[in-house]
């Protein structure tokens, strides 16, 4: 095919994603927001979320300008890498902003729809998740494609991915600190001290808590996967140009991604839950799972067929097809393994619940042990996928495998981001006093969301790991490294420091949460003390103050980790040399992958062990076992929603810094 | 010098160590055991400890025979590696047996001496620690020297170290599971359910708890460091023979070790605490620290002088001297960093205590974050020491640096093993009702022991890491690997699997503790229910049953991790090849080092945060903050005393397996 025809196809694929976003927005926004109280609650959440985004983006802007200048001065081709970096930043930020904007408008509409129809509520929440999903793939593909079509220089493409990384740092790591500071802070004073229920509108931190779901799990998750998605495509393009000819190398990944968008649209459209009139929790949950799984299966099968034709069309052989399929299957199986370790129906979580009878310390030990054991399958699956992909297609094969895992991201991210919206809708139903029926429907939606969110975390980590391996391969090519041997002391030093950096990064993120929660607790106590009539429901709390505190804390706590992750590879690269940085990447990847899986799964398992006990096991709510399980769940909060996800960002960002500055290391060391 | 003269010097050094052991035993055993009750308690502890050892040694014997046969059939030079393996096993087991035998006789004598003199109590406990210390260095050096003098084949020497590893697996990992099962189990029923104090003789698990101190912290710690010690010397000899000539390569490390024994004896003899008549806790603690620090400084300074002459004498240059000093200083500084992170006087532990006001979950989060941050200095110091050692002396330099860290082991181990003996003496003083005065003296001894034990853990990990790096270098030489590049997918696979193995190993060790504690809890409950008059002190509990249960659980829980750590490197080596195993070693080293430091320091900091609160801060004993801090401390128990130390064993044992089978991998893959 002609190059212009390929370009057109790719652009059309990206635009179809955005058109689908437009259609979804139309279907969501035409729904009613419900009564005045609901509108006011939803408005408070949206304003809080937007206030968070504004402040994050302001700091991000400063950060971006600094990096832009550095890239424009030092990194060849000047200033194109800097320009691509800027485009990557802006498109990713735009996707986050759009997705979160719609999510904060969909939450109230989901709650309102649930008054009359459970299925409609599900549909709205899922559509809103899909807005985030297709914003990510649409803007990601279009942005990268346009950069690639204008500047046919692979170094420039890498700048685009670096831009996406910067946004992910702010939204995912910052969002994670925000969301758990607010959550833990709200619970500690509200539930524990004052004895008022979760999502009670008298709690000054309740809006911040609901804002947190949006900034952490919608915008944060979106920017995290935006990064993995464009990294995998960019790595495939860079390695493709080396392994194949320029046109094939560049266009095959882009066309695969465009096809992924189309099949994901089909998948999303085939999510059609049937109405369930009666209040049957189990039935609703299984119906919702069934509907979404249909979407996943449809898009997976279509994608396998589409990629067979595309890869054969470009290369006349199937080897990259097998690489892609091995990534796709590994991603699917890792999600299943995550489900096994975190589902309340399975052995590991039940064992944690049982151990709660021996007190909170034993719950913590058992949960950590479970999380550690849960690393076995993800690691083995990633190892097998990587080895197979390499056997089939060399370094390019690894990048294609990473693409395979991420190719249906539109559909998968729709499922992930559905969760926090359903969660928000349950909160709004509670705050607006919509009655038992509606609340129960929203809670059924929320329960499904907890599972999809847990699967999403497992998937986000696995794809980050595989994308980082692809990126490691890119680093070797870009920095012109033929060998980085473990017999070299500098490489070993890099490995050790990379691992250590991971520990420091997640420790600081967790500290951010405990400091943030502490600040929120003090603010909430102050408001209960100083605002007369608050407890009686006669006066309104100052919601904005809590949002401000959590935002400030998130930005403050990110400062050192953010600087660390950029400075350490540079210092190592310019002193011990580029091989040492390869060690750093591997050390960070290994430790980050292990810790992220452990933290996500420990956290998920604790959460569900608590829910299992609340459903009546071992004495149910209020028992000693329940108290112990609450302790586990609270430890799990920063594990699964802050430190764990932040590690995805760490391993990817450190890889970007290495690749961008890689050629400079080699030049400097040679001096 | 003639070879026979060098041989004589080395043998004399080793024999001096053993002669010193004999002298110390004489000074300890001539002391009185006190009254009949004290004798009976001490006898119960000794019997329990010996029962544990008997069963461990029985299983170890089966294990050893199997490995012996495999080595005799498959590993060249046949059957010499197998014979050296056997000698390594027997000498290490002998050291553990002797050290623990004396420790269980010294505990009661320490308590008895404390009736009249605080300083004498300290002296006896320290002397008993020194028995363990000098058994380790004396038997270690003599065993290795004799093997080396009979068979001048470096492959044979490696077998000796492998033998030491097997014993360490059983005593350190098994002992760690035993000690914490008993400790947590005893506390859960005794302190929490029945409300009786710690070390109350009515508690059926109290003897098992005191046995645990001996099997975990005396025999376990001894065998752990025995392994590091002989590994560092053996690695130096193997690499020395390659880098220098045969005589120098072999005798320089042996002579350095012999000198280390002599200066350690001088150091140990200069530990001379002054009597403190009044009951002044602070003064006693600082006096004890001062006395022991004198011993460390004396031996360090003497060793630096001695090594200067020895190394110059052998090589006529100083480069290996600098390598040795960099290891020695790194070890010293890592101990200081450990002290900073775990001491109740310092910021990190105080921050954990403060966070206890927000409940147990926040204590857990803060403790884990502290542990993670505490990895920074150990990692950086090991990296710097390794790089410096390599610059000065290449691969041999790294091995010499590891020797530098371990060269004064006799003195350092005396300090470490002093702790559990002091702990036991406090327990005996309580159980025998020796009165407030004596108990307070013993508790001052115990408090010092907690600090030295924490320092010892940090040191054990750091030395295990450095010794493992030296061993990695040995692996490269033995398996004839010139490069194990991170550009090779098989190496990456090894790294990932090595890291995962670490997580599985520590998770299973922690599970062993929670399962063991659960079994003990049930047994103690049964005894309180079925033995009439137990609670009233009229009937005696069945102590032996609890010791049996903890022993059985320790052996059972070690089975899978033990098999894993031997089978995984073999599978990887024979499928993906020797380079992949290099990746495995590095992955296990990185993750094991990080997790072991984190777990040891989190555990130590929680322990001291609890003690800080008990001293009156944040409401003192019985407050909500205290309860939260107890939760942290209980999580910390398996962290610092089971999973953490077990990781030392893992990273070292996996290295031994790799080196022993390394040549076979290469042959097999070439087929």
């Amino acid at each position: 095919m002609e190059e212009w025809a390929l370009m057109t196809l790719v652009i059309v694929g990206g635009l179809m994603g955005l058109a689908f976003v437009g259609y979804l927005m139309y279907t969501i926004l035409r729904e009613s927001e419900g009564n005045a109280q609901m509108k006011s609650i939803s408005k408070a959440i949206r304003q809080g979320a937007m206030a968070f985004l504004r402040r994050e983006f302001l700091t991000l802007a400063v950060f971006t300008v600094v990096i832009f200048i550095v890239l424009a001065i030092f990194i060849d081709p000047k200033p194109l890498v800097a320009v691509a970096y800027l485009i990557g930043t802006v498109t990713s930020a735009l996707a986050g902003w759009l997705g979160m904007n719609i999510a904060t408008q969909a939450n109230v509409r989901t709650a309102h729809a649930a008054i009359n129809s459970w299925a409609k509520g599900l549909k709205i929440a899922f559509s809103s998740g899909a807005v985030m999903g297709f914003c990510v793939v649409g803007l990601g593909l279009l942005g990268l494609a346009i950069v690639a079509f204008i500047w046919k220089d692979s170094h420039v493409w890498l700048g685009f991915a670096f831009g996406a990384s910067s946004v992910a740092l702010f939204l995912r790591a910052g969002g994670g600190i925000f969301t758990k500071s607010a959550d833990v802070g709200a619970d500690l004073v509200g539930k524990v001290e004052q004895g008022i229920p979760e999502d009670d509108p008298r709690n000054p931190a309740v809006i911040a808590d609901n804002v947190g779901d949006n900034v952490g799990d919608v915008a944060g998750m979106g920017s995290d996967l935006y990064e993995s998605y464009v990294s995998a495509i960019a790595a495939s393009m860079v390695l493709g140009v080396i392994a194949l000819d320029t046109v094939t190398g560049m266009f095959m990944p882009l066309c695969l991604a465009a096809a992924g968008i189309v099949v994901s649209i089909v998948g999303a459209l085939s999510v059609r839950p049937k109405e369930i009139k009666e209040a049957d929790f189990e039935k609703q949950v299984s119906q919702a799972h069934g509907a979404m799984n249909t979407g996943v299966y449809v898009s997976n099968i279509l994608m396998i067929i589409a990629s067979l034709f595309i890869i054969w069309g470009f290369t006349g052989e199937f080897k990259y097809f097998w690489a892609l399929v091995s990534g796709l299957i590994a991603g699917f199986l890792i999600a299943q393994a995550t489900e096994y370790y975190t589902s309340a129906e399975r052995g590991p979580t039940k064992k944690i619940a049982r151990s709660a009878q021996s007190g909170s310390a034993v719950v913590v030990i058992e949960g950590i042990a479970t999380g550690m054991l849960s690393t076995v399958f993800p690691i083995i699956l990633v190892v097998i996928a990587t080895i197979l992909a390499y056997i089939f297609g060399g370094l390019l094969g690894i990048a294609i495998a990473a693409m395979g895992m991420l190719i249906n991201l539109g559909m998968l991210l729709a499922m992930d981001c559905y969760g926090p919206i359903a969660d928000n809708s349950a909160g709004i139903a509670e705050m607006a006093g919509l009655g038992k029926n509606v609340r129960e429907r929203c809670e059924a939606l929320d329960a499904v969301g907890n599972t999809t969110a847990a699967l999403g975390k497992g998937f986000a980590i696995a794809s980050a790991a595989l994308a980082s391996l692809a990126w490691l391969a890119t680093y070797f090519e870009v920095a012109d490294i033929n060998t980085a041997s473990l017999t070299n002391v500098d490489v070993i030093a890099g490995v050790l420091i990379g691992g250590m950096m991971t520990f420091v990064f997640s420790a600081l993120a967790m500290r951010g949460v405990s400091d943030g929660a502490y600040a929120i607790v003090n603010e909430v106590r102050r408001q209960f003390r100083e605002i007369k009539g608050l407890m009686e429901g006669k006066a309104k709390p100052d919601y904005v103050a809590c949002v401000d505190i959590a935002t400030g804390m998130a930005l403050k706590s990110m400062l050192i980790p953010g600087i660390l992750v950029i400075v350490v590879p540079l210092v190592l690269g310019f002193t011990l040399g580029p091989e040492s940085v390869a060690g750093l990447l591997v050390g960070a990847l290994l430790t980050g992958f292990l810790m992220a899986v452990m933290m996500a799964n420990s956290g998920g398992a604790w959460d569900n062990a608590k829910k299992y006990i609340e459903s009546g096991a071992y004495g149910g709510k209020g028992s000693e076992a329940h108290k112990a399980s609450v302790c586990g769940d609270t430890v799990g909060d920063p594990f699964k929603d802050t430190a764990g996800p932040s590690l995805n960002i760490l391993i990817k960002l450190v890889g970007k810094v290495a690749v961008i500055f890689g050629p400079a290391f080699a030049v400097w060391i040679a001096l």
Side-chain angles (χ1 to χ4, degrees), chain A residues 162-187:
Chain A
F162 188 28
S165 267
S166 309
V167 179
L169 174 68
F170 279 79
L171 293 190
R172 181 61 143 165
I177 295 169
F178 181 103
T179 182
K180 290 300 126 175
S181 301
D183 185 7
V184 175
D187 284 356

Side-chain angles (χ1 to χ4, degrees), chain A residues 435-594:
Chain A
K436 190 163 160 288
N437 257 343
V438 184
R439 239 180 27 235
E440 278 179 3
R441 279 189 197 138
C442 288
E443 269 162 23
L445 296 178
D446 185 19
V448 178
N450 281 333
T451 309
T452 59
L455 298 187
K457 265 165 212 147
F459 174 77
I461 299 159
S463 60
L466 203 50
S468 295
L469 281 174
W471 205 254
L472 180 68
T474 312
Y475 175 69
F476 290 135
E477 292 292 352
V478 170
D480 201 17
I481 294 173
N482 295 316
T483 177
S485 175
L486 297 173
T487 53
N488 178 343
V489 176
D490 296 339
V491 174
I492 295 285
V495 170
L496 290 174
I497 291 173
M500 177 201 81
M501 209 167 74
T502 315
F503 270 46
V504 172
F505 197 82
S506 41
L508 292 177
M510 284 199 287
R511 276 247 168 109
V513 171
S514 56
D515 292 349
Y518 188 73
I520 296 262
V521 163
N522 284 335
E523 171 61 20
V524 172
R525 281 187 190 149
R526 187 194 65 76
Q527 291 198 21
F528 272 119
R529 203 170 51 234
E530 294 179 7
I531 302 179
K532 300 287 169 220
L534 179 55
M535 197 62 195
E536 296 75 35
K538 288 177 195 152
K540 274 188 76 174
D542 178 3
Y543 295 131
V544 178
C546 290
V547 173
D548 274 353
I549 288 172
T551 308
M553 206 48 107
L555 282 169
K556 201 182 117 196
S557 309
M558 272 172 43
L559 197 68
I560 297 176
I563 291 174
L564 198 75
V565 76
I566 293 178
V567 169
V568 171
L570 294 183
V571 168
L572 220 59
F574 288 120
T575 56
L576 299 181
E579 287 84 8
S580 178
V581 174
L584 182 83
L585 298 188
V586 171
L589 173 62
L590 168 67
T591 320
F593 188 16
L594 283 169

Side-chain angles (χ1 to χ4, degrees), chain A residues 52-352:
Chain A
F52 168 84
L53 268 199
R54 255 196 310 280
R55 279 185 64 184
E56 287 277 323
F57 283 168
L58 214 67
T59 321
L60 174 62
V62 177
F63 180 91
T64 303
V65 169
V66 172
I67 302 277
F68 180 86
I69 294 172
V70 171
L71 295 179
I73 296 176
F74 293 107
I75 301 301
D76 287 321
K78 295 163 195 162
L80 300 184
V81 173
V83 172
Y85 169 80
L86 199 63
I87 299 176
T89 311
V90 171
T91 47
S92 173
L94 185 62
W97 181 82
L98 253 173
M100 200 162 88
N101 193 329
I102 296 302
T104 53
Q105 305 206 43
N107 51 14
V108 65
R109 291 174 167 86
T110 302
H112 180 257
I115 295 174
N116 294 313
S117 159
W118 172 82
K120 199 165 172 190
L122 173 59
K123 191 81 195 159
I124 294 175
F126 179 78
S127 295
S128 169
V131 168
M132 185 76 244
F134 288 91
C135 275
V136 163
V137 293
L139 285 168
L141 177 60
L142 278 179
L144 185 56
I146 288 168
V147 166
F149 296 159
I150 302 179
W151 301 292
K152 288 198 180 152
D153 178 331
S154 58
H155 287 84
V156 179
W157 311 341
L158 300 170
F160 185 84
F162 188 28
S165 267
S166 309
V167 179
L169 174 68
F170 279 79
L171 293 190
R172 181 61 143 165
I177 295 169
F178 181 103
T179 182
K180 290 300 126 175
S181 301
D183 185 7
V184 175
D187 284 356
L188 281 179
V189 194
K191 280 202 252 180
V192 182
E193 279 184 24
Q194 302 285 346
I196 54 179
E198 188 155 348
D199 291 326
D200 190 298
R202 289 170 295 178
N203 189 335
V206 72
I207 293 294
D209 187 6
N210 277 281
V211 166
D213 295 336
N214 290 291
V215 304
D217 293 343
V218 179
M221 180 67 117
S223 65
D224 184 354
L225 284 163
Y226 185 97
E227 211 278 2
S228 291
Y229 182 73
V230 300
S231 296
I233 304 175
S236 300
M237 289 162 65
V238 173
L239 297 171
V241 169
I242 295 168
L244 311 163
D245 62 293
T246 311
V247 172
T248 313
M250 186 170 129
F251 280 103
M252 188 169 75
L254 288 173
C255 288
L256 284 168
I261 292 181
V262 177
V263 301
S264 286
I265 292 175
V266 179
L269 287 174
S270 47
V271 175
R272 298 181 170 277
K274 288 200 196 73
E275 183 63 76
I276 297 177
K277 284 285 174 204
E278 67 274 28
D280 186 335
F281 187 85
E282 299 275 326
K283 208 169 152 190
Q284 287 171 339
V285 168
S286 100
Q287 162 78 228
H289 275 302
M292 293 200 214
N293 282 339
T294 307
V296 174
Y297 286 121
V298 166
S299 54
N300 274 353
I301 290 167
L302 289 179
M303 191 61 221
I304 289 177
I305 298 168
S307 60
L308 192 75
F309 284 100
I310 293 173
I311 290 172
W312 191 81
F314 271 104
T315 63
E317 52 187 359
F318 292 114
K319 57 187 195 177
Y320 297 114
F321 170 73
W322 295 117
L324 185 127
V325 169
S326 66
L328 195 140
I329 291 177
F332 180 78
L333 290 179
I334 287 172
Q336 308 308 310
T338 307
E339 205 263 333
Y340 172 76
Y341 277 103
T342 58
S343 158
E345 314 292 307
R346 307 300 189 116
T349 298
K350 284 191 178 161
K351 195 165 191 298
I352 295 177

Side-chain angles (χ1 to χ4, degrees), chain A residues 623-640:
Chain A
S623 63
E624 284 301 312
H626 183 240
K627 276 185 205 155
S629 73
V630 169
C631 174
D633 184 36
T634 314
V635 173
D637 269 341
F639 265 40
K640 73 179 193 305

